[in-house]
Amino acid sequence: MSARESILAAIRANRPAGDFPLPEVPDFAPLVGDDRVEAFGETLKRMGGRIERPAPGADPLLPVRERIAGARVLASAVPEVTGNRDLSTVASPRDLADVDVAVVRAVFGIAETGSVLFTQAELIVNAVAYLAQHLIVLLDPADIVVNVQAAYRRPDFGRAAYAVLHTGPSATADIEGVLIHGAQGVRSLTVVLLPRG
């Protein structure tokens, strides 16, 4: 028995008997207006991210093509964009250390925080959202919820073995307040508003 299996077996054996339902998630008044897309974009920008809205009638993937131009290693987890690093063949997360740009689709976005949710199904390899230099996120505008409480009510959290909210690119600031993007993760995060096919 591995150490992991041993630990999990001990937890299961010592779990208290009984039903322990999750607490009710309270409703809070939204801190944003009725235009969720506009609120999401403004919040994302404040968090260091970028939002791209394809012009009506234009190629909806043009903002993606512009962002991936010049990328040597492109990992794509979406059918709309073809990459040259096949995520389904990645044996170890460290195999993604040289990825310049990753393209993924978010399950949904949160207007109040500018966050996007990924699960293991969207990422294929969870580490791609952290190890790529630049992350491009496709988001259906209809999938933007108003706040975190609305997000928690969606079944995506309960169904997923892995779920993570991303809010802008990685950032850190030292004691003097110098802000650095990309210190521990992606250097840029661009959300492209693109309805699901």
Side-chain angles (χ1 to χ4, degrees):
M1 179 181 288
S2 72
R4 179 181 185 273
E5 291 167 344
S6 174
I7 291 168
L8 291 174
I11 290 170
R12 286 186 198 103
N14 291 293
R15 183 177 186 263
D19 188 23
F20 301 97
L22 294 173
E24 287 293 319
V25 176
D27 277 323
F28 294 100
L31 300 176
V32 297
D34 291 335
D35 189 340
R36 294 178 187 176
V37 174
E38 186 64 31
F40 174 84
E42 288 303 314
T43 309
L44 177 66
K45 287 179 201 171
R46 282 197 303 272
M47 299 306 291
R50 295 173 42 156
I51 189 161
E52 296 283 351
R53 298 178 182 137
D59 175 6
L61 290 174
L62 182 61
V64 176
R65 293 188 218 297
E66 290 172 346
R67 296 291 294 158
I68 64 176
R72 289 177 293 115
V73 181
L74 173 63
S76 176
V78 299
E80 296 93 339
V81 178
T82 302
N84 58 9
R85 176 64 52 84
D86 185 356
L87 290 171
S88 66
T89 64
V90 172
S92 171
R94 71 175 165 260
D95 297 340
L96 299 172
D98 62 344
V99 172
D100 296 310
V101 180
V103 184
V104 299
R105 181 169 282 281
V107 178
F108 61 79
I110 303 175
E112 200 172 84
T113 62
S115 306
V116 289
L117 178 92
F118 307 124
T119 71
Q120 73 279 0
E122 285 74 36
L123 298 175
I124 302 173
V125 180
N126 297 345
V128 75
Y130 305 98
L131 296 180
Q133 291 294 308
H134 305 280
L135 188 61
I136 299 173
V137 180
L138 306 184
L139 175 64
D140 188 330
D143 290 332
I144 298 176
V145 299
V146 68
N147 58 19
V148 174
Q149 291 75 32
Y152 285 150
R153 287 189 180 87
R154 290 184 52 127
D156 310 283
F157 285 109
R159 284 196 308 250
Y162 177 84
V164 62
L165 289 167
H166 272 233
T167 308
S170 166
T172 188
D174 65 17
I175 199 162
E176 294 177 6
V178 177
L179 183 65
I180 306 289
H181 283 110
Q184 299 98 4
V186 297
R187 292 172 31 208
S188 73
L189 185 143
T190 303
V191 174
V192 178
L193 296 178
L194 184 68
R196 293 179 187 277

